[in-house]
Amino acid sequence: MPIRRALLSVSDKTGLLDFASALSGHGVDLVSTGGTHAALTQAGLRVQSIEDYTGSPELMSGRVKTLHPRVYAGILARTGIDGPDLERIGAQPIDLVAVNLYPFEESLVQKLGYSELIENIDVGGPAMLRAAAKNHERVTVVCDPADYHRVLEALSHNGEVGMDLRQRLASKAFAHTAAYDAAISGWLGRLSESDGYPRWLTFSLEKVSGLRYGENPHQSGAFYRERKAPRGSLALAQDLGGGGTELSFVNLIDLDAALELVREFTQPAAAVVKHASPCGVAVAQNLSDAYRNAREADPTSAFGGIVALNREVIAETAQVINETLIHCVVAPSYAPDALEELHKKKSLRILATGSWLAADHPALQAKQVAGGFVVQERDATAAGEVAGGRVVTRRAPTRSELEALDFSWRVCKHVRSNAIVLGTSAGGGHSTVGIGAGQSARVRAVEIACHNAGARARGSVLASDAFFPFPDGIQAAAQAGVVAIAQPGGSKKDPEVIAAADAASLAMIFTGVRHFKH
């Protein structure tokens, strides 16, 4: 449809002047409100104020300015049907509506007061967007400055905006107002519910891309991100190429698990993950050693795995990564020569997070069950829990053992329950040597971790995500050569478990904190 008249009312003025100037150049008459009108007139553009268009002044300090029949009749008018009604009230057709809303979500992040948040709840903006989106057969609606260029390209090429683009923009506008309302509802819901979880919880997600497939090749899939995904998250990671094909469902799950793990550490850290569970993790004095030690913790499982690193990747590290088949690598950034080296592996997908999220970043986590979701706050603890724990055995851990226990405890938090991690000191850092994951019996998880470690279990330390219900797990660890243990404690048989540790001269700490992961 051709555009003869545009209504512009934007809170975010990014790209506004260029957009309005281009519209004017196409012969479009401009109508605008308040601050938008001031910005356009100061730029020398010819623009009609909303008061002149409606014949009514702004009321209540701007709370009422676009809520007027001439505005909504102009937006909702149907070609060839509603002309007489427009003429009767002195309205004119509005063919384009460019509106973005008061920054309620940004105000929420800034933790503004109640009254300020209320004033940042837009009323007229969502109404105009919904009206324009409803009438998209004639009206072009724009709620995002990133879409200005699409409208201008269409006008430049065809002199009008086609139906396909109008439909896409209308869909986006309805999603925008729905997400906006969901944010307001969630805020009010948290205030009104004693547990802080709102009565109605709405997830607002945007499609990032299709997936190569879901968990299995016969399942389709797509990747969605939260509307306000935090900087440094996987959802905002930059794809630097490689791999040759789209990411799969499994790739993304593994990438996220690996990223969450290396965020635990301030030292250079590397994690190799497969099937959502770490097979090798290490911290060291430099990133190359950290990756090499993580890979060598279980080189068989590392083959074809996913790698996460918590430092910029340099050429030396890239060369070590290329020694093994790895499907994906994610890190904050890459030196140019490192990127060149990694691109030699055509099957390797490379992602960069840019910013870096802290290990304790707050978030809600949700898992779908039949007919609903279970929602919880993210498990953001782990740091300091071993050092702050209670020594329950006759022998206390040495300083070296305590440091290794702290490392293993942080890793264990990211292993599927029942989870056991064996760790050891290595070259000025620490490394896993055996991991037992996802077992229904804790003693089996111990046995698997010790089996995977082999001779490296001797002198290692052990972290357990939950308490030992019986002494058998302690006895299996001692037999393999484990020297110190960190576990939550809290079992009815704790006295027997402690006695088993004392009998083997093990040091053991009760942290008082459980880290189940399902």
Side-chain angles (χ1 to χ4, degrees):
M1 295 291 291
I3 297 174
R4 299 182 180 88
R5 182 171 291 100
L7 173 56
L8 311 177
S9 180
V10 295
S11 174
D12 178 0
K13 294 179 176 53
T14 303
L16 170 66
L17 296 182
D18 289 341
F19 183 53
S21 179
L23 288 175
S24 185
H26 284 286
V28 177
D29 293 332
L30 305 179
V31 181
S32 65
T33 63
T36 305
H37 181 266
L40 296 179
T41 54
Q42 286 173 12
L45 292 173
R46 183 178 177 182
V47 55
Q48 184 182 22
S49 71
I50 197 71
E51 294 94 330
D52 288 344
Y53 175 77
T54 63
S56 176
E58 286 189 8
L59 303 173
M60 304 174 188
S61 303
R63 275 192 165 197
V64 178
K65 52 191 173 189
T66 59
L67 297 171
H68 193 282
R70 287 184 181 176
V71 172
Y72 289 93
I75 296 171
L76 288 165
R78 295 162 293 181
T79 303
I81 298 176
D82 298 316
D85 281 340
L86 286 178
E87 187 174 351
R88 181 163 57 88
I89 66 170
Q92 297 170 310
I94 296 171
D95 308 303
L96 181 144
V97 173
V99 171
N100 51 61
L101 309 177
Y102 295 166
F104 176 81
E105 290 164 294
E106 289 79 359
S107 300
L108 204 58
V109 171
Q110 294 168 12
K111 299 182 179 180
L112 297 184
Y114 183 87
S115 297
E116 292 171 294
L117 285 168
I118 290 293
E119 290 307 313
N120 272 293
I121 295 177
D122 206 328
V123 176
M128 287 189 288
L129 287 177
R130 287 176 57 81
K134 173 178 178 175
N135 203 28
H136 67 268
E137 282 190 280
R138 182 182 66 80
V139 179
T140 300
V141 58
V142 188
C143 64
D144 184 351
D147 292 319
Y148 291 164
H149 75 283
R150 296 183 181 183
V151 173
L152 295 177
E153 284 176 2
L155 290 176
S156 296
H157 292 156
N158 306 311
E160 61 179 35
V161 179
M163 182 62 168
D164 181 65
L165 179 55
R166 293 200 308 277
Q167 282 182 333
R168 285 176 178 271
L169 293 174
S171 173
K172 186 172 185 176
F174 278 122
H176 185 60
T177 58
Y180 191 78
D181 286 342
I184 297 166
S185 171
W187 168 63
L188 289 172
R190 285 189 292 275
L191 292 180
S192 60
E193 295 289 332
S194 59
D195 63 1
Y197 288 86
R199 177 70 57 184
W200 295 277
L201 182 62
T202 303
F203 295 106
S204 179
L205 306 173
E206 176 187 4
K207 184 179 177 182
V208 177
S209 66
L211 298 178
R212 189 162 76 248
Y213 49 78
E215 281 189 284
N216 300 289
H218 62 273
Q219 296 171 270
S220 63
F223 180 30
Y224 287 80
R225 68 170 158 234
E226 298 175 46
R227 222 169 81 89
K228 297 295 181 181
R231 294 174 61 191
S233 62
L234 180 62
L236 295 180
Q238 183 182 4
D239 191 337
L240 299 180
T245 57
E246 293 175 312
L247 292 167
S248 72
F249 181 99
V250 172
N251 290 157
L252 287 163
I253 297 298
D254 286 352
L255 281 163
D256 189 59
L259 267 177
E260 285 289 279
L261 211 164
V262 295
R263 286 192 185 106
E264 292 284 348
F265 304 104
T266 56
Q267 288 177 270
V272 184
V273 167
K274 210 168 187 182
H275 304 306
S277 193
C279 48
V281 185
V283 296
Q285 293 180 346
N286 62 71
L287 201 60
S288 300
D289 286 344
Y291 169 71
R292 186 181 290 105
N293 292 339
R295 181 191 65 195
E296 293 308 307
D298 188 349
T300 301
S301 298
F303 185 84
I306 301 291
V307 171
L309 307 151
N310 69 347
R311 292 285 197 284
E312 179 175 82
V313 177
I314 61 173
E316 178 188 355
T317 307
Q319 290 165 1
V320 180
I321 291 171
N322 277 354
E323 293 171 357
T324 307
L325 175 65
I326 295 296
H327 285 319
C328 303
V329 59
V330 60
S333 58
Y334 302 81
D337 52 355
L339 204 53
E340 182 180 352
E341 177 69 25
L342 291 172
H343 276 141
K344 292 178 182 178
K345 289 280 190 176
K346 302 303 181 185
S347 61
L348 177 64
R349 196 61 166 268
I350 307 162
L351 288 88
T353 63
S355 301
W356 195 246
L357 276 175
D360 60 351
H361 70 275
L364 286 183
Q365 294 178 321
K367 289 194 177 184
Q368 189 170 12
V369 297
F373 289 82
V374 287
V375 179
Q376 66 173 358
E377 64 179 347
R378 178 179 171 273
D379 184 1
T381 67
E385 290 172 354
V386 169
R390 178 168 59 96
V391 177
V392 295
T393 48
R394 288 193 295 266
R395 187 175 78 81
T398 66
R399 179 177 177 178
S400 175
E401 290 168 351
L402 194 63
E403 291 173 353
L405 283 170
D406 176 73
F407 164 80
S408 303
W409 180 254
R410 295 185 193 220
V411 174
C412 194
K413 168 186 159 185
H414 298 272
V415 179
R416 300 287 174 182
S417 302
N418 284 322
I420 297 292
V421 171
L422 301 189
T424 189
S425 298
H430 303 286
S431 173
T432 60
V433 293
I435 297 174
Q439 300 304 303
S440 54
R442 187 154 301 277
V443 66
R444 298 287 178 266
V446 174
E447 290 168 349
I448 290 170
C450 292
H451 171 79
N452 289 340
R456 295 176 299 172
R458 192 154 301 281
S460 69
V461 303
L462 179 153
S464 173
D465 65 336
F467 64 62
F468 285 88
F470 304 102
D472 53 0
I474 304 296
Q475 292 161 346
Q479 187 175 358
V482 169
V483 296
I485 293 173
Q487 59 132 320
S491 167
K492 290 182 179 179
K493 294 187 179 291
D494 274 350
E496 296 178 36
V497 170
I498 295 169
D502 279 334
S505 298
L506 296 180
M508 187 158 63
I509 288 177
F510 282 3
T511 64
V513 183
R514 189 184 76 184
H515 287 295
F516 269 167
K517 182 177 177 64
H518 289 87

